[in-house]
Amino acid sequence: MALHLRHLADGQWEQIETKVYKTEGAGTGFKDIVRRQLLGPETSGTSFELRYFEIAAGGYSSLEIHAHTHTVIIARGRGTAILGDRAVLVGANDVCHIGPGEAHQFLADREAALGFYCLVHKDRDRPRAPTDEELERLRGIPELARVLRV
Amino acid sequence: MALHLRHLADGQWEQIETKVYKTEGAGTGFKDIVRRQLLGPETSGTSFELRYFEIAAGGYSSLEIHAHTHTVIIARGRGTAILGDRAVLVGANDVCHIGPGEAHQFLADREAALGFYCLVHKDRDRPRAPTDEELERLRGIPELARVLRV
């Protein structure tokens, strides 16, 4: 059965609830971020889940690591993405792919929210926070040290 | 290895080529549509492919049927989507999911291009055109008869 999720405005869809950001796994701290579940096995029968996350201005997601991959499409706003050992500025329609074991974090700009789609397989391992050693290494990379929040 | 595909403007990305719309399978006619391959097994190692399609104002994709599912996120513009036995108006950030065997077609408005992301599994069956009987049935549905183009 085909589905059509109508976007209303500003990262809200008809009949889609706003949920808390994290329900599984662990990571470092996060700030001002919500989750909306758009597609998943229970609605579309797909093997993946399509979620939308929105980070308010000045907020950020957890810095986290896991074996499953993330594919992200930025929907709106502006921010910074930590992708492994790099930090990149991101805006609408940028596409990011995070491979297994790569630390990552999304941070909204101070003046703009950051909304993005995130695609994951339905069967996936739980995110974890970086170890102290991993965090020390990441903080040793100047472009990451400037932006990462834990 | 993490990837970052930077969006330039208007459905164009750094280092992403524009390709012809169809390289496999068959469907009915199409008009003024291009394809850009964003992610796939050869670049991201994923089991799915993320493609971007852009239909110029007045153009349309093939009306087609296949067993694999399509997930579509509208990136920009306005148009109409035929999703199985329904026709719906679509705009930016609408999400469509097309189940196995459901006929579908995307049509840009006369005055606006329609750009969308389409997610498919890397292993998939070839699209086919509807049979004469299927087409006759679809044409018998008034809301489809008004919009479908073959």
Side-chain angles (χ1 to χ4, degrees):
Chain A
M1 176 66 185
L3 299 175
H4 175 220
L5 305 179
R6 193 182 303 277
H7 182 248
L8 299 170
D10 300 339
Q12 307 251 16
W13 285 262
E14 273 182 6
Q15 302 183 300
I16 300 291
E17 295 169 19
T18 298
K19 299 194 172 179
V20 298
Y21 167 50
K22 287 217 162 189
T23 57
E24 59 176 29
T28 57
F30 53 87
K31 182 170 181 280
D32 296 339
I33 172 166
V34 297
R35 175 173 61 96
R36 299 185 179 116
Q37 180 86 9
L38 298 175
L39 297 175
E42 70 291 350
T43 53
S44 59
T46 50
S47 59
F48 60 86
E49 295 180 18
L50 179 67
R51 300 96 47 88
Y52 175 80
F53 293 92
E54 185 150 315
I55 309 178
Y60 47 89
S61 66
S62 291
L63 177 67
E64 63 178 36
I65 297 175
H66 40 69
H68 64 272
T69 64
H70 268 184
T71 295
V72 166
I73 303 171
I74 308 295
R76 69 193 202 98
R78 295 204 62 81
T80 302
I82 294 178
L83 305 173
D85 290 355
R86 285 192 304 160
V88 294
L89 298 176
V90 291
N93 294 303
D94 280 13
V95 174
C96 302
H97 181 76
I98 298 145
E102 294 184 306
H104 52 281
Q105 181 172 45
F106 289 85
L107 307 100
D109 274 9
R110 262 178 298 192
E111 308 78 20
L114 180 67
F116 57 92
Y117 299 98
C118 177
L119 191 83
V120 289
H121 199 276
K122 70 180 170 67
D123 303 315
R124 59 187 184 273
D125 62 319
R126 288 173 174 262
R128 66 170 176 83
T131 63
D132 289 348
E133 291 71 25
E134 287 168 333
L135 194 54
E136 190 176 356
R137 193 185 71 76
L138 293 171
R139 283 184 164 140
I141 301 171
E143 74 181 77
L144 299 200
R146 282 178 51 210
V147 294
L148 68 78
R149 300 286 296 269
V150 294
Chain B
M1 177 65 185
L3 299 175
H4 174 221
L5 306 179
R6 194 182 302 276
H7 183 248
L8 299 170
D10 300 338
Q12 308 252 17
W13 285 261
E14 272 182 7
Q15 300 181 302
I16 300 291
E17 295 169 21
T18 297
K19 298 193 173 180
V20 298
Y21 167 49
K22 288 217 160 187
T23 56
E24 58 177 30
T28 56
F30 54 86
K31 181 170 182 280
D32 296 339
I33 172 168
V34 296
R35 174 173 62 96
R36 300 185 178 116
Q37 180 87 8
L38 298 174
L39 297 176
E42 71 291 351
T43 53
S44 60
T46 51
S47 59
F48 60 86
E49 295 179 18
L50 179 67
R51 300 95 47 89
Y52 175 81
F53 293 92
E54 186 150 315
I55 309 177
Y60 47 89
S61 65
S62 290
L63 177 66
E64 63 177 36
I65 297 175
H66 40 70
H68 64 272
T69 64
H70 267 184
T71 295
V72 166
I73 304 171
I74 308 294
R76 68 192 202 99
R78 296 203 62 80
T80 302
I82 294 177
L83 305 173
D85 290 356
R86 285 191 303 160
V88 294
L89 298 176
V90 292
N93 293 303
D94 281 13
V95 174
C96 302
H97 180 76
I98 299 145
E102 294 185 307
H104 52 281
Q105 182 173 43
F106 289 85
L107 307 100
D109 275 9
R110 262 177 298 191
E111 308 78 19
L114 180 68
F116 57 91
Y117 299 99
C118 177
L119 191 83
V120 288
H121 199 277
K122 70 180 171 66
D123 302 315
R124 58 187 184 274
D125 62 318
R126 287 173 174 261
R128 66 170 177 83
T131 64
D132 289 349
E133 292 71 25
E134 286 168 333
L135 195 54
E136 190 177 354
R137 194 185 72 76
L138 293 171
R139 284 183 163 140
I141 300 170
E143 74 182 77
L144 298 201
R146 283 177 51 209
V147 293
L148 67 78
R149 299 286 296 270
V150 294

